[in-house]
């Protein structure tokens, strides 16, 4: 049993390493990450905001990244405008009850967004109905859409301006890739908007 446990642990770590290595060698994917950084910096520089959403573990990812923007990432600096659309239980249950689960995020985007905002969408399958509906609303209202998904891409690629597709068929590994690249984006946005030498001199 002990050997079986260690074998499983080693196997999962090796799969994670392989996923990260595939990300590192994927020029198209890394270019999309760079573009996401530029777009987010531009939006925040224009006093716009980043809205994030996902389901389940991806909801946790949305909240995690919003927290990194609003509070801090690597060093102290002013907060950045980011909001997870997954946190207000009264809003979520009201929309779910009155309009259905598929409207959970699109209704919030309609209520709080302005043109020039960014919708950062998470769906490991690329098919989540409430995320697709939110993307549709975001595009109609003049938002840019960043989509974090898995290797199969989006069921509606026409709704995504910048697609981050983690090269793995396994949901946990896709989520690990999302966290890795989400952290990288946070770190680069922080550096570009609030240079370390000004806010965290050595």
């Amino acid at each position: 049993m002990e050997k079986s446990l260690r074998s499983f642990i080693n196997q999962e770590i090796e799969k994670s390493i392989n996923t990260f290595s595939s990300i590192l060698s994927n020029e198209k994917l890394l270019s999309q990450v760079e573009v996401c950084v530029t777009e987010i910096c531009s939006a925040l520089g224009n006093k716009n905001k980043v809205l994030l959403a996902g389901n389940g573990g991806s909801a946790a990812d949305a909240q995690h990244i919003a927290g990194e923007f609003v509070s801090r990432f690597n060093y102290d600096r002013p907060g950045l405008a980011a909001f997870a659309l997954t946190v207000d239980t009264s809003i979520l249950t009201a929309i779910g009850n009155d309009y259905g689960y598929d409207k959970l995020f699109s209704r919030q985007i309609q209520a709080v967004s302005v043109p020039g905002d960014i919708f950062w969408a998470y769906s490991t399958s690329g098919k989540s109905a409430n995320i697709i509906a939110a993307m549709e609303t975001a595009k109609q209202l003049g938002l840019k859409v960043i989509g974090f998904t898995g290797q199969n891409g989006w069921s509606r690629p026409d709704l995504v301006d910048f697609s981050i597709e983690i090269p793995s068929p396994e949901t946990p590994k896709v989520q690990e890739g999302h966290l890795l690249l989400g952290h990288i984006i946070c770190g680069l946005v922080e550096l570009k908007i609030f240079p370390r030498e000004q806010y965290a001199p050595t």
Side-chain angles (χ1 to χ4, degrees):
M1 179 65 176
E2 198 169 311
K3 184 178 180 182
S4 172
L5 289 173
R6 181 58 59 88
S7 175
F8 182 87
I9 292 167
N10 290 347
Q11 180 182 0
E12 290 304 305
I13 292 172
E14 287 172 1
K15 285 195 289 186
S16 296
I17 290 170
N18 289 337
T19 298
F20 286 5
S21 294
S22 296
I23 291 170
L24 186 60
S25 63
N26 189 325
E27 182 60 33
K28 180 181 177 182
L29 177 55
L30 298 180
S31 295
Q32 286 287 285
V33 173
E34 291 177 325
V35 174
C36 289
V37 171
T38 300
E39 291 292 331
I40 291 171
C41 287
S42 176
L44 294 174
N46 289 327
K47 306 300 182 184
N48 285 102
K49 58 190 175 290
V50 180
L51 304 172
L52 304 96
N55 296 285
S58 294
D61 287 338
Q63 291 162 211
H64 182 155
I65 295 303
E68 305 286 21
F69 278 125
V70 174
S71 183
R72 54 169 284 170
F73 189 64
N74 281 315
Y75 49 87
D76 291 328
R77 40 73 177 172
L80 294 164
F83 303 88
L85 304 179
T86 54
V87 296
D88 190 318
T89 54
S90 295
I91 289 175
L92 295 173
T93 53
I95 295 171
N97 185 62
D98 295 342
Y99 298 99
Y101 194 75
D102 287 358
K103 301 292 186 181
L104 213 60
F105 304 127
S106 59
R107 182 76 175 181
Q108 293 185 73
I109 289 172
Q110 176 268 311
V112 305
S113 72
V114 296
D117 287 348
I118 287 177
F119 177 45
W120 182 331
Y122 286 93
S123 172
T124 57
S125 69
K127 300 175 183 178
S128 302
N130 57 8
I131 293 295
I132 298 300
M135 288 176 168
E136 290 177 335
T137 299
K139 295 300 290 180
Q140 290 166 5
L141 296 177
L143 280 67
K144 293 286 182 68
V145 176
I146 294 172
F148 270 48
T149 189
Q151 68 179 17
N152 294 326
W154 292 93
S155 63
R156 289 288 308 277
D158 56 303
L159 299 174
V160 186
D161 293 294
F162 316 106
S163 186
I164 302 298
E165 301 172 10
I166 302 302
S168 173
E170 297 186 35
T171 294
K173 301 310 171 191
V174 172
Q175 291 172 330
E176 289 171 16
H178 286 173
L179 182 56
L180 171 69
L181 296 183
H183 272 170
I184 289 171
I185 289 171
C186 285
L188 285 170
V189 169
E190 182 177 73
L191 278 170
K192 286 176 70 67
I193 296 179
F194 303 112
R196 182 186 285 270
E197 61 270 19
Q198 295 179 28
Y199 289 87
T202 56

